[in-house]
Amino acid sequence: MPISIVVPQLGESVAEGTVSKWLKAQGDKVRKEEPLVEIQTDKINVEIPSPGDGILERILVAEGTTVLVGTEIAVLSGAGEPAAPAPSLAAAPAVASAAAPPSQPARAGAPAVASPALRPAPSTGDGSSGNGELQVGDGRSLSPAVRRIMREQNVSLAELAAIRGSGVAGRVTRDDLLEYLQSRTAAPARASAAAAVAPPAPAAPPPAFLAPRLAPAAAGPREEVVPFSKVRKLIAENMVRAKHTAAHTHCFDETDMSAIVGLKREWGPKLEAQGVRLTYMPFFIKASVLALKEFPWVNGEVRGDTMVVKKFYNIGMAVGRDEKGLIVPNLKDCDRKNLVQIAAEVNDLAARARADRLKPDEIQGGTFSITNAGVYGAINSSPVINVPEVAILGVHKIVERPVIRDGQIVARPMMNASIGFDHRVVDGELAVKFLRRVCELLERPELLWFHA
Amino acid sequence: MILSACHLGPTPYREALALQEGLVSARASGTTGDWLLYPDHSPVLTIGRGGNPESLIADAATLKGRGIELFEVARGGDVTWHGPGQLVGYLIADLSRHGRDLHRFLRDLEQSLIDALAAFGVAGERVAGRTGVWVEGEKIASIGVAVRRWVSYHGFALNVAPDLGFFDLIHPCGLRGIHMTSLARRLEEKAPTLAEARERVAVAVAAAMGYEGLAWKDPAQARRLAEEAAGESGPRAEAHAG
């Protein structure tokens, strides 16, 4: 009789634990009460003893993986028993592979990828056919580890296509697949059983009042439990730390972007021809650097009971990366670079941020940050400070709005700007003056020329 | 239940580990009660199960040059430093008495240290998600615990008056840009001595963790109990440097 090893209850507030170390290897003999595995939660590491004598038949959860309390992490076979050929995961039905049946249960919330687009369609579900580099129809390639698991667990390409990948370019990673397999064990069994039964002969249509009011529910579970990725954990920690330590306060201003819009319109195509795409960000960076030089206190860091004023200008820019999570790389020494150099660096940093190719020092050592919620359509925001920095500039969508100029109502490309500042060290007066100066420099970029 | 406290005096890290493991066995089999052990360690770095090689700034040669040993241990948490001027406390406690609730145990331990700090006029606090005790954003005490057969070992390290420069060898607890502080730094000449801190913390642990009293014991008694129970479980840590 195989014994299932699960993460035990570790306390009322303990919902999950991380497998920190397997003390036995797959295939090892273990005695009852012998230490089997260590689970860590918070700063406490617990040795889990074996519940019986036997052989550690199969390790289901790798070291470093965080799982919910109650999750099965290993299977122990009874002493002297023949090895169970297909415990646990493998008990899932072998889902027909080649031509994905139309009844293929899609994972709730997953994008509906059309199965005919899949290529190639191996007849065995074996992902290792062909030249080794296997791709799902939408171009997502598969790692050897994923292919191996697909082979072992009889995962068809059609099933794989329905998994939302968390890897680069939506690639399905080993962890994605393992998580999918955990949720698959039950659902497809029922689904395929139902599919096998011939549909009942159509009866007379029911009276209208018996007709279901709701559209049929999508196949699969109604909720999806997605463990935090490492990046998400860090983001969550940083955000909470920022909100806990800095006395967040915000104020808002607006700026007439006519001049910058004009400059971008004129210079955009010229720079494009030289291979540099010009966005608004370089202008925001330039304006911020000059304003920071005039208000040095804003370009600083709180360290214990001291304020450290920085004489260099490493400007961070928030880069959204969909489900991969926000990251804020910074451009070094922006005061010593011209607009074109900054534009080229902005493009390079953003591209590498999205491709997970940033170097560690590019996400450390920032002195001030800018976040552009306008790219997603926001016309205003109150951003969270990238601590230990003391302020962050929010820039937004540029919208044509009626404004008064010389007593006349005219349409102008207007943008709201916001500043989030740490009120422990930055007074409201300073924050308002700084923000006004940034807006002014954007309204009259010639000031950059006179003052920079 | 009475908490037995004991100042071990100068103790090599490896020896302290064996002593703890012996006492864990003794505690689990019910031959003794709960213990609070205070070793005096020479400088040593230990990496817990939350360890990350990047948390170590110094390389093996630097550590060897400075005579600092590196141990990989089964406690929770990342890398930390122990050494002179620091109050290291190992708590051998049956968690069944604490509802077998790991997080509650950590919070109770934090509370003990916060109470002890308060007695010296220092306002220690918790930071959500960052186990340990903090004073105005700087870390003054670290916590890292291991549990075997529902008995805890390892424990806490309170910076009384250590050379904080040692923490530059590591990213303490894997946290970047973290600043460590100490009672000496906070209170200057009014800071308690190690002996005063040892006394005060033991009282606070006994109170915050629901013991009926505190009794100071001879280290020889702890060593004898550990040796008797040792048997099959030898030390599990391996030295990596030095």
Side-chain angles (χ1 to χ4, degrees):
Chain A
M1 198 44 202
I3 305 170
S4 161
I5 313 290
V6 300
V7 177
Q9 288 291 334
L10 301 169
E12 208 174 302
S13 63
V14 186
E16 57 173 39
T18 303
V19 174
S20 48
K21 195 175 173 75
W22 280 103
L23 303 170
K24 295 282 173 187
Q26 206 157 279
D28 279 0
K29 256 195 181 138
V30 289
R31 284 174 294 127
K32 191 174 167 155
E33 294 301 323
E34 202 180 355
L36 192 60
V37 60
E38 291 173 7
I39 306 275
Q40 185 177 224
T41 168
D42 199 337
K43 292 277 175 89
I44 196 160
N45 189 64
V46 189
E47 220 173 69
I48 307 294
S50 171
D53 292 336
I55 289 161
L56 182 54
E57 194 58 50
R58 202 178 169 90
I59 288 175
L60 301 173
V61 175
E63 284 177 9
T65 309
T66 302
V67 290
L68 294 170
V69 165
T71 304
E72 184 181 43
I73 55 172
V75 179
L76 201 68
S77 71
E81 256 180 50
S88 150
L89 288 185
V95 177
S97 51
S103 66
Q104 193 65 51
R107 192 152 167 252
V113 178
S115 24
L118 297 166
R119 70 179 165 82
S123 58
T124 58
D126 180 342
S128 64
S129 65
N131 57 9
E133 179 59 71
L134 181 67
Q135 291 192 330
V136 183
D138 54 2
R140 298 183 294 181
S141 58
L142 306 174
S143 72
V146 166
R147 276 183 269 151
R148 186 177 51 79
I149 298 169
M150 285 177 70
R151 196 163 54 238
E152 286 172 358
Q153 304 295 338
N154 283 318
V155 178
S156 72
L157 282 168
E159 272 177 289
L160 195 81
I163 299 177
R164 184 179 300 193
S166 67
V168 177
R171 205 167 155 154
V172 174
T173 64
R174 182 176 158 278
D175 284 353
D176 295 333
L177 186 56
L178 290 176
E179 193 193 316
Y180 163 72
L181 285 169
Q182 281 191 347
S183 66
R184 183 179 82 165
T185 42
R190 264 178 265 120
S192 40
V197 177
F209 64 84
L210 283 183
R213 303 258 171 97
L214 296 170
R222 284 160 68 91
E223 288 183 345
E224 190 184 358
V225 178
V226 184
F228 276 8
S229 65
K230 226 172 178 163
V231 172
R232 176 56 53 197
K233 269 188 195 160
L234 277 174
I235 293 173
E237 266 183 36
N238 283 342
M239 290 294 175
V240 172
R241 188 156 46 95
K243 283 284 194 175
H244 258 287
T245 49
H248 272 79
T249 315
H250 295 89
C251 68
F252 307 92
D253 202 337
E254 63 172 5
T255 181
D256 183 336
M257 293 286 283
S258 300
I260 301 286
V261 169
L263 277 175
K264 181 170 176 276
R265 192 173 293 145
E266 186 187 344
W267 285 93
K270 292 182 190 169
L271 291 180
E272 187 91 60
Q274 296 171 32
V276 178
R277 199 170 66 87
L278 182 63
T279 60
Y280 288 106
M281 186 52 88
F283 297 99
F284 299 140
I285 292 175
K286 261 297 188 207
S288 299
V289 169
L290 185 56
L292 288 169
K293 282 187 169 174
E294 293 175 27
F295 301 94
W297 199 255
V298 183
N299 191 48
E301 171 185 335
V302 175
R303 206 180 282 165
D305 277 347
T306 58
M307 175 72 186
V308 181
V309 177
K310 308 276 174 76
K311 306 262 167 68
F312 56 97
Y313 303 87
N314 294 349
I315 309 298
M317 57 169 193
V319 180
R321 306 184 301 165
D322 299 326
E323 69 275 11
K324 259 196 281 178
L326 171 80
I327 197 158
V328 189
N330 62 73
L331 277 76
K332 308 292 184 203
D333 300 312
C334 289
D335 57 323
R336 308 207 313 243
K337 290 171 182 162
N338 66 35
L339 195 90
V340 180
Q341 288 172 312
I342 292 177
E345 270 195 47
V346 163
N347 297 339
D348 172 54
L349 269 189
R352 284 190 295 114
R354 296 200 174 94
D356 272 331
R357 292 282 178 276
L358 290 173
K359 297 175 206 126
D361 80 299
E362 288 170 333
I363 50 172
Q364 287 166 6
T367 62
F368 178 82
S369 294
I370 302 178
T371 178
N372 186 354
V375 295
Y376 311 112
I379 58 161
N380 224 337
S381 68
S382 29
V384 177
I385 302 163
N386 189 18
V387 288
E389 293 164 24
V390 296
I392 183 167
L393 175 72
V395 292
H396 307 93
K397 193 161 81 167
I398 299 166
V399 186
E400 288 249 302
R401 278 207 304 258
V403 292
I404 312 291
R405 292 285 182 269
D406 302 323
Q408 301 292 311
I409 301 174
V410 292
R412 284 288 155 85
M414 300 297 291
M415 185 189 80
N416 294 319
S418 64
I419 182 169
F421 58 101
D422 185 346
H423 216 325
R424 291 181 303 172
V425 286
V426 178
D427 290 340
E429 180 189 350
L430 175 59
V432 171
K433 281 182 175 167
F434 171 80
L435 184 60
R436 183 83 289 276
R437 186 59 174 161
V438 171
C439 288
E440 201 174 31
L441 290 166
L442 290 169
E443 268 161 20
R444 301 176 60 198
E446 69 272 19
L447 293 176
L448 285 168
W449 209 61
F450 285 109
H451 294 177
Chain B
M1 167 173 285
I2 305 285
L3 175 66
S4 302
C6 170
H7 179 207
L8 300 172
T11 315
Y13 191 81
R14 192 186 301 276
E15 215 178 288
L17 209 52
L19 176 62
Q20 289 182 74
E21 293 187 332
L23 278 179
V24 167
S25 300
R27 183 66 190 99
S29 56
T31 54
T32 184
D34 289 358
W35 284 81
L36 173 60
L37 307 173
Y38 288 121
D40 296 337
H41 286 318
S42 302
V44 60
L45 289 177
T46 74
I47 302 181
R49 288 293 188 241
N52 180 340
E54 286 160 23
S55 301
L56 206 61
I57 296 170
D59 56 23
T62 310
L63 297 181
K64 197 163 187 172
R66 297 178 66 165
I68 299 173
E69 268 194 296
L70 178 66
F71 287 88
E72 225 173 84
V73 287
R75 63 165 170 78
D78 203 305
V79 61
T80 197
W81 170 88
H82 297 314
Q86 196 182 45
L87 183 69
V88 175
Y90 295 137
L91 189 56
I92 316 296
D94 180 3
L95 287 179
S96 303
R97 281 188 65 253
H98 299 269
R100 292 196 173 184
D101 188 330
L102 303 187
H103 287 182
R104 196 184 123 196
F105 185 75
L106 292 176
R107 302 290 88 79
D108 287 351
L109 211 45
E110 283 168 348
Q111 194 57 50
S112 314
L113 294 165
I114 290 170
D115 292 348
L117 289 175
F120 294 121
V122 170
E125 55 189 18
R126 295 190 180 91
V127 173
R130 307 202 144 188
T131 296
V133 181
W134 303 73
V135 180
E136 290 183 7
E138 298 181 317
K139 197 170 195 185
I140 198 162
S142 306
I143 291 179
V145 174
V147 175
R148 176 184 292 171
R149 297 165 72 188
W150 290 108
V151 175
S152 69
Y153 59 114
H154 293 282
F156 59 84
L158 171 67
N159 296 331
V160 177
D163 174 359
L164 293 176
F166 278 109
F167 287 103
D168 295 340
L169 299 171
I170 56 172
H171 291 294
C173 308
L175 303 173
R176 308 274 150 152
I178 215 182
H179 297 280
M180 302 298 280
T181 191
S182 66
L183 280 169
R185 183 167 287 192
R186 301 297 308 184
L187 300 172
E188 297 178 354
E189 72 277 9
K190 281 180 283 176
T193 63
L194 259 181
E196 286 163 342
R198 194 180 297 129
E199 187 87 19
R200 170 52 62 186
V201 168
V203 170
V205 168
M209 308 204 67
Y211 292 95
E212 285 145 17
L214 174 72
W216 288 90
K217 299 280 172 66
D218 189 323
Q221 191 184 340
R223 294 205 172 93
R224 196 172 52 243
L225 275 164
E227 273 161 29
E228 283 166 11
E232 84 270 30
S233 59
R236 303 170 68 91
E238 296 152 32
H240 283 256

